Amino acid sequence: MGNKPITMALAGNPNAGKTTLFNHLTGARQHVGNYPGITVDHKEGSFHQDGQQISITDLPGTYSLTAYSVEEVVSRDFLTTAKPDVVVNIVDASNLERNLYLSTQFLEMGLPVIIALNMMDVAKDRGIEIRVEKLSELLEIPIVPIIARSGKGTKELISQALEVAASSKTMEPRDISYGEDLDESLMELIATIEQTSFLSSAYPARFTAIKYLEHDDEMLRKGQAAAPETARKLEEIVSKTSDHLQATMDVYPEAIIADHRYGFIKAILRQGVLTHKFDTDRLYTSDKIDKVLTNRLLGPVIMLAILFGLYQFTFSWSELPVSWMEALFGWLGGVVENTLPDGLLKSMIISGVIDGVGGVLGFVPLIMFMFFGIAVLEDSGYLARVAFMMDRVFHFFGLHGSSVMPFIVSGGIAGGCAVPGVMATRTLRSPKERMATLLTVPFMNCGAKVPVLVLLIGAFFTEHKALYMFLFTMLAWLVALVAAKFLRMTVLRGEATPFVMELPPYRFPTFRGLVIHTWERTWQYIKKAGTVILGISILLWASMTFPGLPQSEQDLYESQRLEITETLAKQTEKLQDALTGINQEESAATLRNSIAGKVGLFFEPVSSYAGFDWRTNIAMLGGFAAKEVIISTLGTVYSMGVIEADKASSLGDRLVKDPHWNAVVAVSALIFIMFYAPCFVTVVCIAKESSWKWALFSMTFNTIFAFIASVLVFQLGSMFS
Ligand code: GDP
Ligand code: MG
């Protein structure tokens, strides 16, 4: 074997264990989940074995190679354009028949393929016995049984895969019979294709012909672009066949093709390849559990109870570690206060760095608890049930069952992020359902909004924190769904598409998996706090400090201080109070005069309808950079004008004491924060996934909506209280 790296692709059904194997081989820590459709983009990595460098690609999971979804197109395009040296087809041994459906299509494409028969442990537990050699003989490709989770059999798998890659003999595309009518039509199509070498660089003739019969949009488009003349001829043959089948049997060619593929698989499995020893298998157990958990009436009730339990767990268990973090940063502030001399540097470190970053990092324990809970739901397979149950509701609002994933990722169970949520919409097939999902996922309570909500709820509604959090999460869902319905009735009007999604069997989550999931997401949050937020806090601090007061005004405050010092020289206590009063006035005047202050003041006449003063406006503007910044900015603006002695009190206390804040303002602010323009990063993602036009639409639509809602809350609330 040469020194050139061998290219290897991992392909298979969703949930077959591709990412687990990928991680095992490369040592990377990709997201592994018991949830279909987790990998949308393909991921690359590399490793060594037998002195050979191997570069490996984890493809998105698919059930077929017909272009029904984005994953299928991504996978197929990769296989035909990148032409990997070997394709490792991961097959879930506990679900053999269904998984082999995809394998038959690799055979038809004539790809150099090897089957990794995964989940042998699960198959064994369920009493499923597979005669691997027999199966390999009948399919005419190598098969290696493995357990991806423990790495068993993977060395053997790779060494056999290397042999496939190295073997000079090319794979012959496998011919599966599709019945008399279709076979005849296929011959005609193949003859036409071969005559003109139609798309022959990418696909074997028979594969192209089959995809034409399956009405594969992507293939039809490619055909038309490459050779319109031949494409037209092929389409004619297909429509003739299609009409004939319709007239005689009332079926579409797609259905017959699927039937025959399953027939081909059944025929193989029946030759003593597959035996069930007993049928009290896990699928059976899963079905039994599902009878209760996805029951029409009981299911949603249990779901709400489980989600509510998640909140209880997160908020009550994290209370103590959160208070430790607060104490830590309070102590740090005190140390700096006492060691550094007064001046710009001290002000920057306390108001910019410690208050800003501390405010964000203080929530790390809470975020970790939340992510841990979500990881349990996801890895056990329950999250997929949530999607399944929510589909009924989603349909009503013009969305699709698959929209649930983006919503949950974005913070449907509070604490996600709209950025991966926006990316996750790629799994949606219909462009309009996809746009409607894309535009409404930012309404969810992402991990960055959670601390802001917690702060305000904690400060103004000390009782029943978990209940309020839960209610605000429900509100986010309600608003997102109504907004989606509104969009689907106006700018995105169109038909709904039916729902198909696999419910994976329930699995006991592994501790390692839970830890990896929790850590990955927490780390993303910390990274943001450590880099972006630090920069923004300092920038905001600068914009709130400069240009400073003109000398004449500074002198005025200085002379006031002198005067008071003289007159009150004997009454030291009163003197201290009077002096801090002046200091406070001076820093408030400085803030007012600063760049940020001017921007905040500029918006005050409008924002006051929603109860926001100019300082809150500064925080909201900062929040556009990243929602976490709202806390750090509030921390900064409300610490700058505060008497030294009060610095030790928490931001929540300071807000409660401030005359501009009360419970009504807090609710109005909560509503605005939940629904106004998505953060800058999300906006960029929306633009990348659709267009800048939609990104701008999202910013203006959300902000206007949020403002109207806050004004209503504030005006009505003020009237009644
Ligand atoms: P993908 O969708 O194909 O990438 O599948 P994943 O790698 O995300 O795996 C789906 C689930 O199956 C995860 O919960 C894995 O921990 C689990 N899993 C993967 N391989 C095995 C295995 O060999 N045995 C068992 N028991 N579970 C496995
Ligand atoms: Mg995966």
Side-chain angles (χ1 to χ4, degrees):
M1 273 175 260
N3 296 326
K4 217 169 91 337
I6 293 275
T7 53
M8 182 180 287
L10 293 183
N13 285 10
N15 236 5
K18 289 176 301 300
T19 306
T20 309
L21 179 62
F22 180 90
N23 289 350
H24 183 84
L25 293 172
T26 62
R29 286 197 275 141
Q30 283 288 326
H31 194 106
V32 180
N34 191 10
Y35 189 96
I38 275 251
T39 324
V40 177
D41 262 331
H42 52 82
K43 304 273 159 49
E44 318 223 344
S46 68
F47 66 103
H48 281 278
Q49 189 180 315
D50 307 340
Q52 177 67 54
Q53 176 82 16
I54 300 158
S55 86
I56 186 167
T57 304
D58 183 17
L59 292 175
T62 60
Y63 296 111
S64 87
L65 284 180
T66 311
Y68 288 136
S69 71
V70 185
E71 290 95 332
E72 284 156 353
V73 175
V74 169
S75 292
R76 195 169 79 191
D77 281 352
F78 183 85
L79 294 174
T80 51
T81 55
K83 289 194 196 296
D85 296 320
V86 54
V87 178
V88 175
N89 173 207
I90 305 205
V91 164
D92 176 355
S94 66
N95 208 346
L96 195 57
E97 191 170 327
R98 184 173 190 165
N99 274 249
L100 287 177
Y101 188 80
L102 178 66
S103 314
T104 57
Q105 294 173 67
F106 292 134
L107 298 179
E108 286 182 311
M109 270 176 98
L111 293 167
V113 65
I114 172 169
I115 287 183
L117 198 56
N118 191 28
M119 311 244 184
M120 288 304 284
D121 54 331
V122 181
K124 196 168 158 232
D125 284 353
R126 288 198 206 160
I128 296 171
E129 234 170 63
I130 300 166
R131 282 173 60 200
V132 178
E133 279 123 76
K134 183 84 183 169
L135 182 61
S136 162
E137 198 181 288
L138 292 169
L139 287 175
E140 299 171 33
I141 48 172
I143 300 181
V144 181
I146 65 165
I147 300 173
R149 215 193 246 193
S150 67
K152 197 167 173 229
T154 51
K155 276 254 149 22
E156 173 66 17
L157 172 72
I158 298 307
S159 70
Q160 292 222 23
L162 289 178
E163 269 175 42
V164 172
S167 81
S168 48
K169 78 166 176 26
T170 47
M171 282 280 208
E172 273 300 307
R174 187 67 177 263
D175 289 4
I176 295 170
S177 163
Y178 290 109
E180 218 176 301
D181 287 333
L182 287 191
D183 282 350
E184 208 171 286
S185 168
L186 274 175
M187 297 235 283
E188 207 179 326
L189 289 167
I190 291 168
T192 314
I193 291 168
E194 281 177 346
Q195 252 169 31
T196 56
S197 302
F198 182 73
L199 296 178
S200 64
S201 64
Y203 314 101
R206 193 177 167 86
F207 186 81
T208 310
I210 293 169
K211 292 300 146 192
Y212 259 84
L213 279 175
E214 284 182 306
H215 287 288
D216 183 305
D217 288 336
E218 186 72 12
M219 185 69 93
L220 294 177
R221 222 162 36 76
K222 279 205 177 119
Q224 257 147 18
E229 190 59 20
T230 317
R232 205 181 41 76
K233 258 191 231 158
L234 295 177
E235 280 168 38
E236 245 167 50
I237 301 172
V238 170
S239 90
K240 202 179 62 194
T241 314
S242 203
D243 288 348
H244 177 72
L245 286 175
Q246 279 286 304
T248 55
M249 294 191 282
D250 195 23
V251 286
Y252 290 102
E254 294 98 299
I256 298 193
I257 290 174
D259 282 352
H260 278 82
R261 273 196 199 124
Y262 275 119
F264 171 78
I265 296 163
K266 274 214 170 71
I268 288 179
L269 297 184
R270 251 192 236 126
Q271 299 181 44
V273 168
L274 188 67
T275 45
H276 289 262
K277 272 200 302 211
F278 44 86
D279 61 4
T280 51
D281 52 37
R282 199 176 320 194
L283 196 65
Y284 190 57
T285 320
S286 279
D287 284 345
K288 269 205 273 198
I289 300 175
D290 269 341
K291 274 228 164 69
V292 183
L293 290 190
T294 61
N295 178 287
R296 253 176 188 277
L297 299 172
L298 217 52
V301 176
I302 297 175
M303 178 173 78
L304 286 181
I306 289 180
L307 296 187
F308 184 65
L310 180 72
Y311 283 96
Q312 283 295 352
F313 165 76
T314 307
F315 287 93
S316 50
W317 288 49
S318 66
E319 223 162 71
L320 196 62
V322 166
S323 69
W324 291 339
M325 290 297 273
E326 274 173 4
L328 176 73
F329 281 98
W331 171 80
L332 215 61
V335 169
V336 174
E337 177 70 50
N338 292 330
T339 47
L340 285 186
D342 281 344
L344 273 184
L345 182 68
K346 180 171 171 178
S347 149
M348 185 189 86
I349 291 182
I350 294 182
S351 294
V353 181
I354 298 182
D355 278 6
V357 175
V360 176
L361 286 187
F363 288 97
V364 164
L366 184 126
I367 302 262
M368 263 171 91
F369 276 80
M370 179 68 88
F371 285 156
F372 186 85
I374 293 174
V376 172
L377 295 190
E378 190 178 313
D379 292 5
S380 63
Y382 185 68
L383 203 56
R385 270 71 186 180
V386 174
F388 173 78
M389 283 185 277
M390 294 299 253
D391 182 56
R392 293 175 216 152
V393 181
F394 268 57
H395 241 89
F396 178 78
F397 291 99
L399 295 171
H400 186 267
S402 305
S403 310
V404 174
M405 175 71 171
F407 275 103
I408 290 179
V409 169
S410 304
I413 303 175
C417 175
V419 172
V422 165
M423 312 275 204
T425 60
R426 291 183 192 169
T427 49
L428 282 148
R429 288 180 200 173
S430 138
K432 284 181 177 161
E433 284 167 354
R434 177 161 183 238
M435 270 321 296
T437 312
L438 199 75
L439 290 174
T440 48
V441 289
F443 285 138
M444 293 290 120
N445 290 323
C446 68
K449 289 185 211 168
V450 170
V452 190
L453 302 193
V454 173
L455 170 82
L456 293 177
I457 291 172
F460 291 93
F461 309 94
T462 22
E463 305 272 297
H464 314 300
K465 270 187 257 182
L467 178 70
Y468 275 104
M469 241 352 255
F470 183 70
L471 288 179
F472 277 110
T473 307
M474 290 296 122
L475 180 68
W477 276 100
L478 187 73
V479 168
L481 290 177
V482 171
K485 182 82 183 171
F486 171 76
L487 292 171
R488 291 285 275 135
M489 280 164 45
T490 53
V491 280
L492 295 169
R493 207 176 328 184
E495 284 293 300
T497 49
F499 178 79
V500 206
M501 194 169 98
E502 167 101 320
L503 294 180
Y506 289 103
R507 285 203 181 94
F508 214 78
T510 61
F511 186 67
R512 190 183 129 89
L514 293 178
V515 170
I516 290 180
H517 274 172
T518 308
W519 178 244
E520 270 174 358
R521 291 171 174 161
T522 309
W523 180 238
Q524 274 178 357
Y525 178 79
I526 296 176
K527 257 199 321 213
K528 247 178 143 182
T531 54
V532 182
I533 312 282
L534 178 61
I536 292 169
S537 301
I538 293 178
L539 209 71
L540 281 170
W541 165 82
S543 78
M544 285 186 259
T545 308
F546 300 109
L549 287 180
Q551 195 58 45
S552 59
E553 278 189 54
Q554 281 183 28
D555 292 348
L556 198 70
Y557 285 106
E558 189 54 37
S559 68
Q560 280 183 16
R561 265 189 291 263
L562 276 174
E563 199 176 307
I564 284 181
T565 318
E566 269 165 29
T567 48
L568 294 177
K570 284 174 200 101
Q571 299 152 277
T572 36
E573 212 165 280
K574 256 197 192 161
L575 170 65
Q576 203 54 43
D577 279 358
L579 276 181
T580 39
I582 294 174
N583 288 347
Q584 185 187 4
E585 263 172 48
E586 187 184 22
S587 44
T590 310
L591 181 56
R592 228 170 221 281
N593 193 51
S594 69
I595 301 167
K598 290 203 174 112
V599 176
L601 279 166
F602 176 78
F603 284 108
E604 200 178 55
V606 186
S607 71
S608 61
Y609 286 105
F612 307 151
D613 70 342
W614 56 282
R615 288 181 293 185
T616 311
N617 290 350
I618 299 177
M620 300 297 187
L621 281 172
F624 176 63
K627 304 277 150 142
E628 298 94 318
V629 171
I630 295 175
I631 291 196
S632 50
T633 314
L634 281 175
T636 314
V637 289
Y638 280 93
S639 77
M640 282 182 122
V642 160
I643 313 175
E644 297 296 328
D646 259 16
K647 274 232 159 156
S649 67
S650 76
L651 174 59
D653 292 342
R654 273 182 260 154
L655 289 180
V656 173
K657 284 194 198 126
D658 194 277
H660 280 103
W661 280 80
N662 56 45
V664 179
V665 176
V667 176
S668 164
L670 279 171
I671 300 282
F672 190 77
I673 291 164
M674 277 169 72
F675 302 124
Y676 82 118
C679 71
F680 182 66
V681 186
T682 307
V683 170
V684 171
C685 278
I686 294 180
K688 279 196 190 142
E689 293 295 315
S690 54
S691 67
W692 275 103
K693 197 187 83 190
W694 281 115
L696 283 176
F697 174 85
S698 157
M699 277 167 62
T700 39
F701 177 78
N702 292 15
T703 307
I704 292 171
F705 169 78
F707 186 66
I708 293 174
S710 303
V711 170
L712 282 178
V713 166
F714 181 69
Q715 298 298 340
L716 290 176
S718 306
M719 247 163 59
F720 289 110
S721 64

